[in-house]
Amino acid sequence: MRGRPRLAALGMALLLALYLVFSAVYAVRLLQDPQPIVQAMGWALIVLPLIGGWALGAELLFGYRVEKLAGRLEAEGGIPQDALPAKTSGRLEREAADAVFDRYAAEVAENPESWAHWFRLALAYDAARDRRRARWAMRQSIAFAKASSAL
């Protein structure tokens, strides 16, 4: 199952990279125009591919590191197997999600520098559809994994 999401992400990254290349080429063409206004537009347009390229690289690196840590945690048998009840809409039942979340938050409080505990907390945030906190917790996990040479 990991293959399809990875291919989808790489496909989207390739399309974005292609768009960024076309934007950069167009920006260079605008820079070659003799009119100052057009050249200013070219300079403004050249910034977008630079920012986009940086963001694309950062997201791909984040995904690679998450996948590497997930594989390691799975090999160690540390991936949670919690089967939480869901509503017909697909959202988790709040009480069950809170109970699981509280357990993982307590584990992180007991082991604040453990990348594996942070990873499981990120999964709990993700299951509760709190993507912002899930990414934050996953970044914590990656930082602690790098510090402990686990990544």
Side-chain angles (χ1 to χ4, degrees):
M1 189 67 174
R2 279 190 190 160
R4 286 186 70 177
R6 180 187 298 158
L7 286 177
L10 290 177
M12 291 301 293
L14 182 63
L15 288 173
L16 179 59
L18 186 63
Y19 171 76
L20 294 174
V21 167
F22 283 133
S23 295
V25 168
Y26 188 64
V28 169
R29 288 183 72 192
L30 290 176
L31 289 173
Q32 295 170 349
D33 193 281
Q35 295 181 11
I37 293 291
V38 176
Q39 288 179 353
M41 289 171 53
W43 282 112
L45 185 59
I46 208 154
V47 170
L48 295 176
L50 295 175
I51 293 171
W54 171 81
L56 176 61
E59 288 303 310
L60 288 175
L61 184 61
F62 177 77
Y64 170 77
R65 288 175 173 164
V66 167
E67 191 171 318
K68 189 172 179 181
L69 287 179
R72 181 163 179 197
L73 197 59
E74 186 175 31
E76 294 173 0
I79 297 287
Q81 301 298 325
D82 300 318
L84 298 175
K87 299 176 183 176
T88 56
S89 64
R91 295 188 72 91
L92 298 177
E93 289 187 12
R94 186 91 166 145
E95 297 79 25
D98 286 345
V100 169
F101 175 79
D102 290 342
R103 185 177 76 210
Y104 291 124
E107 287 178 7
V108 165
E110 292 172 13
N111 304 292
E113 295 184 10
S114 167
W115 70 265
H117 288 90
W118 278 102
F119 194 98
R120 286 190 283 271
L121 180 62
L123 292 177
Y125 274 128
D126 188 59
R129 290 192 165 69
D130 189 346
R131 303 289 191 245
R132 185 179 61 82
R133 286 190 177 113
R135 289 180 69 82
W136 171 78
M138 193 58 73
R139 283 190 174 88
Q140 294 292 95
S141 175
I142 290 169
F144 286 122
K146 283 197 294 189
S148 68
S149 301
L151 185 63

